[in-house]
């Protein structure tokens, strides 16, 4: 995976803004079908790019096979080895890269509406397991349980953005969020902002790395 965490963060913010804006206006049946078709197309493009970065780009560059089933070992490394900057970025990267999966997958047809988010989270985890299994089978990198955990977290975050989009409607030129969601959205935005600025501080001030 790429370590360009800031470029991914910026692209993801723009994608979320566009997604929520378009989703807010896709409340009619015809508009909803068009929106879901666009999401299906975007999901296919996203999945293809993800498979290319994780598997096909590494083809021919065989590495020594390794396997780790220790959960949250990367978090332990970051918390105890403070200069392990690459591990810190790898955690964020593996979370961010799967957020679009959770945003787009629930819009695909053929799922039980009642359990849509649960199915989407399970699908994200299964997709991650598939990638890790292929990497292990063809010696394309380290296979870690933490990667699956972080990818699943990213998928769940994306599912939350999808759920938020379902609760937003457009009244004329105003975008209206259903009551009660503000209480969830503001703390979540605050936590994300704190994490982002902590990341910037670590990279550009504390360690002075690019």
């Amino acid at each position: 995976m790429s370590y360009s965490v800031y470029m991914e963060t910026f692209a993801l913010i723009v994608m979320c803004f566009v997604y929520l804006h378009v989703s807010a206006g896709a409340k009619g049946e015809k508009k909803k079908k068009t929106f879901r078709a666009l999401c299906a197309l975007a999901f296919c493009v996203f999945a293809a790019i993800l498979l290319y970065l994780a598997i096909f780009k590494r083809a021919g560059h065989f590495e020594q096979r390794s396997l780790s089933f220790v959960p949250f070992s990367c978090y332990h490394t970051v918390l105890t080895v403070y200069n392990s900057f690459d591990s810190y970025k790898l955690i964020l990267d593996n979370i961010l890269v799967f957020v679009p999966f959770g945003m787009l997958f629930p819009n695909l047809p053929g799922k039980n509406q009642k359990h849509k988010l649960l199915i989407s989270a399970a699908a994200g985890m299964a997709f991650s397991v598939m990638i890790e299994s292929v990497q292990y089978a063809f010696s394309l990198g380290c296979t870690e349980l933490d990667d699956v955990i972080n990818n699943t977290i990213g998928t769940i975050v994306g599912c939350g953005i999808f759920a938020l989009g379902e609760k937003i409607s457009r009244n004329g030129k105003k975008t209206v969020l259903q009551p009660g969601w503000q209480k969830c959205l503001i703390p979540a935005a605050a936590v994300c902002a704190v994490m982002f600025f902590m990341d910037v501080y670590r990279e550009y001030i504390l360690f002075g790395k690019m």
Side-chain angles (χ1 to χ4, degrees):
M1 296 294 181
S2 168
Y3 286 168
S4 55
V5 176
Y6 299 110
M7 185 61 68
E8 287 177 7
T9 304
F10 177 76
L12 195 58
I13 290 172
V14 173
M15 181 179 180
C16 290
F17 177 80
V18 173
Y19 177 89
L20 292 174
H21 181 73
V22 177
S23 178
K27 298 305 177 185
E29 192 61 33
K30 186 176 180 180
K31 289 183 177 179
K32 187 171 289 187
K33 287 182 178 179
T34 302
F35 175 70
R36 287 176 177 171
L38 289 173
C39 286
L41 177 62
F43 178 80
C44 292
V45 173
F46 162 76
I49 293 174
L50 193 58
L51 288 173
Y52 170 75
L53 293 174
I55 297 175
F56 296 107
K57 187 178 180 181
R58 298 181 176 186
H61 301 282
F62 298 105
E63 304 174 15
Q64 185 176 359
R65 183 179 296 168
S66 63
L67 186 64
S68 174
F69 282 115
V70 181
F72 303 108
S73 60
C74 60
Y75 291 88
H76 180 265
T77 300
V78 169
L79 292 173
T80 58
V81 186
Y82 297 102
N83 61 352
S84 181
F85 185 71
D86 287 340
S87 297
Y88 183 78
K89 291 188 2 179
L90 187 59
I91 293 173
L92 288 179
D93 184 78
N94 281 322
I95 291 175
L96 292 176
V97 77
F98 261 71
V99 171
F101 192 105
M103 293 167 56
L104 300 172
F105 189 87
N107 288 290
L108 301 182
K111 293 183 296 300
N112 186 316
Q113 296 296 311
K114 185 177 181 180
H115 303 293
K116 182 184 293 186
L117 297 183
L118 182 61
I119 293 172
S120 299
M125 182 174 66
F127 194 73
S128 177
V129 169
M130 183 271 292
I131 290 176
E132 294 298 313
S133 299
V134 172
Q135 287 180 342
Y136 180 76
F138 293 96
S139 300
L140 299 178
C142 300
T143 300
E144 298 177 292
L145 178 59
D146 277 357
D147 287 350
V148 176
I149 292 174
N150 291 329
N151 292 161
T152 305
I153 291 173
T155 304
I156 293 172
V157 171
C159 288
I161 296 171
F162 163 81
L164 178 63
E166 293 286 287
K167 301 299 180 182
I168 294 177
S169 60
R170 193 173 296 151
N171 184 9
K173 294 184 178 180
K174 294 183 179 180
T175 300
V176 182
L177 181 63
Q178 290 185 9
W181 273 79
Q182 296 93 332
K183 297 178 181 179
C184 301
L185 185 60
I186 293 175
V191 170
C192 291
V194 170
M195 290 181 64
F196 180 76
F197 284 113
M198 284 177 62
D199 198 17
V200 172
Y201 172 78
R202 286 176 63 93
E203 184 161 2
Y204 294 104
I205 299 176
L206 190 60
F207 295 121
K209 295 184 178 182
M210 298 297 290

